[in-house]
Amino acid sequence: MIAVKSSIPSERVTVPGTEGVEAVFVKLNLANRVIYLACVYVPSGANVDVYQACAEAMRSFFRYIRCGVNDSVFVMGDFNMTDVVWSRDPDARSSLPPGVISSSGDS
């Protein structure tokens, strides 16, 4: 779930190809920029197919949205990946699990 203050112009984004994944996508339309939010849930004990579907859904999301120079994207959620060792992607301003999705959107 993503909650947005009613005074912030926002809309839910429906991304084709993400229907089978527990995810919500929201676009915040601010005065001089857009902020995209993605919230994903993967159930505890999910098999690898669920994670692959989640990764493909995120690829679809990044292909679907149009980001300008001042726009931002935030991906959050509960991935139930307790054994992942998070590493720093030198080309991004975020931490990513190795081999999932790079800053360019490629796996």
Side-chain angles (χ1 to χ4, degrees):
M1 175 172 63
I2 297 176
V4 179
K5 189 174 181 178
S6 62
S7 62
I8 299 172
S10 62
E11 60 189 275
R12 184 168 181 177
V13 178
T14 302
V15 180
T18 63
E19 297 81 9
V21 176
E22 292 188 55
V24 176
F25 306 102
V26 174
K27 178 181 179 182
L28 306 178
N29 298 295
L30 305 180
N32 61 350
R33 65 190 271 180
V34 171
I35 297 176
Y36 289 96
L37 305 173
C39 185
V40 180
Y41 173 72
V42 176
S44 180
N47 66 34
V48 69
D49 294 336
V50 174
Y51 287 100
Q52 289 173 337
C54 181
E56 185 55 39
M58 294 311 302
R59 286 186 203 90
S60 295
F61 170 66
F62 282 107
R63 282 190 300 265
Y64 186 78
I65 63 175
R66 299 291 178 249
C67 285
V69 174
N70 294 322
D71 299 343
S72 299
V73 177
F74 295 92
V75 178
M76 60 206 103
D78 183 353
F79 298 92
N80 279 305
M81 298 175 79
T82 57
D83 295 331
V84 170
V85 177
W86 294 86
S87 65
R88 188 90 171 129
D89 180 343
D91 297 326
R93 291 181 284 178
S94 63
S95 293
L96 301 168
V100 176
I101 299 177
S102 71
S103 59
S104 65
D106 299 327
S107 59

